[in-house]
């Protein structure tokens, strides 16, 4: 079994002490830092942009996992690359208004890891044509836009399909889940084949970050 990676989403952190929050989750055993970028168009919320990602970059050596919930991702990818992203994940839905294949190549050419994601309502069929082009599939387990929502177990069908795809190919991709991840839903996700857990609320609202991260890994 591959090691389960934990990626705290700083969306749920205390922004007034963002630097310390990042140091604390790094000390607590986080593997990646997940940055949720929202534009108020593709999702109904606005979070932060490349300047904050650049600040996060200066706080940690951990890989920065940038999740773009935005329209026209192709226009903004270079700014997140310059800000220090290690992986960039874009949405497959037509509402994201970009040429998905082209944006994935753009991310690859920028030497970042290539991620693709789909909303709970989106059919797995939409990501299938791109499975050979990506390093990671992110299965959204809530509708994106806000932290603190409940996990949608029916999305495990997509995790299973990605895991099946991995079994049939020599080149394995990471399978990441995002939204409503707590120790119980982490266990369900891992059982179905996920190996990267994004968690905001269950880490940053916990008193002890190290314990919260261990509990997510079911250690
Ligand atoms: C959803 C974001 C998530 C979210 C996770 O819009 O993509 O990364 O912040 O937060 P929790 O863990 O609180 O569901
Ligand atoms: Zn996210």
């Amino acid at each position: 079994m591959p090691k389960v990676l934990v990626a705290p989403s700083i969306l749920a952190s205390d922004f007034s002490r963002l630097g310390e929050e990042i140091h604390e989750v790094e000390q607590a055993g986080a593997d990646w830092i997940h940055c949720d970028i929202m534009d108020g168009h593709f999702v109904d919320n606005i979070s932060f942009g490349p300047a904050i990602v650049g600040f996060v970059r200066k706080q940690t050596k951990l890989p920065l996992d940038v999740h773009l919930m935005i329209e026209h991702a192709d226009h903004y990818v270079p700014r997140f690359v310059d800000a220090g992203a290690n992986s960039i994940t874009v949405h497959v839905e037509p509402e994201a208004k970009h040429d998905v294949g082209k944006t994935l190549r753009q991310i690859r050419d920028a030497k970042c890891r290539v991620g693709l994601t789909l909303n709970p309502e989106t059919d797995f069929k939409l990501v299938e044509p791109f499975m050979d082009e990506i390093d990671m599939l992110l299965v959204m387990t809530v509708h994106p836009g806000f932290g603190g929502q409940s996990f949608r177990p029916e999305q495990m069908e997509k995790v299973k399909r990605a895991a099946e795809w991995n079994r049939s190919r020599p080149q394995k991709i990471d399978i990441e889940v995002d939204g409503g991840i707590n120790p119980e839903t982490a266990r369900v996700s891992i059982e179905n084949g996920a190996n990267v857990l994004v968690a905001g609320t269950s880490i940053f609202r916990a008193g002890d970050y190290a314990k919260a991260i261990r509990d997510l890994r079911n250690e």
Side-chain angles (χ1 to χ4, degrees), residues 9 11-12 34 36 38 67 69 140 142-149 178-181 198-202:
S9 165
L11 191 65
H34 186 81
D36 282 310
M38 304 177 178
H67 175 195
M69 287 161 273
M140 288 306 303
V142 297
H143 190 81
F146 298 89
Q149 305 179 65
D178 185 0
I181 300 298
V198 175
T201 309
S202 72

Side-chain angles (χ1 to χ4, degrees), residues 20 44-45 58 67 70 78 87 103 119 129 150 169 183 209:
E20 289 160 58
D44 187 29
N45 195 8
K58 292 200 183 81
H67 175 195
I70 65 175
S87 57
T103 309
N119 287 342
S150 299
R169 305 286 208 290
Y209 293 171

Side-chain angles (χ1 to χ4, degrees), residues 137-163:
L137 183 74
L138 166 53
V139 174
M140 288 306 303
T141 42
V142 297
H143 190 81
F146 298 89
Q149 305 179 65
S150 299
F151 179 82
R152 298 171 63 150
E154 79 285 356
Q155 299 304 310
M156 291 301 102
E157 216 35 62
K158 293 174 187 168
V159 170
K160 273 192 209 154
R161 287 180 69 173

Side-chain angles (χ1 to χ4, degrees), residues 92-158:
V92 74
E93 291 78 18
E95 294 75 23
K97 299 186 182 162
H98 64 134
D99 178 329
V100 175
K102 255 186 164 165
T103 309
L104 298 178
R105 282 193 295 281
Q106 182 189 19
I107 298 169
R108 169 95 50 223
D109 290 346
K111 312 262 184 289
C112 280
R113 296 190 79 234
V114 181
L116 184 63
T117 184
L118 73 175
N119 287 342
E121 301 75 19
T122 304
D123 203 295
F124 192 83
K125 270 202 224 104
L126 263 75
V127 298
E128 276 173 346
F130 304 107
M131 290 297 275
D132 284 319
E133 321 293 330
I134 62 177
D135 302 307
M136 177 161 80
L137 183 74
L138 166 53
V139 174
M140 288 306 303
T141 42
V142 297
H143 190 81
F146 298 89
Q149 305 179 65
S150 299
F151 179 82
R152 298 171 63 150
E154 79 285 356
Q155 299 304 310
M156 291 301 102
E157 216 35 62
K158 293 174 187 168

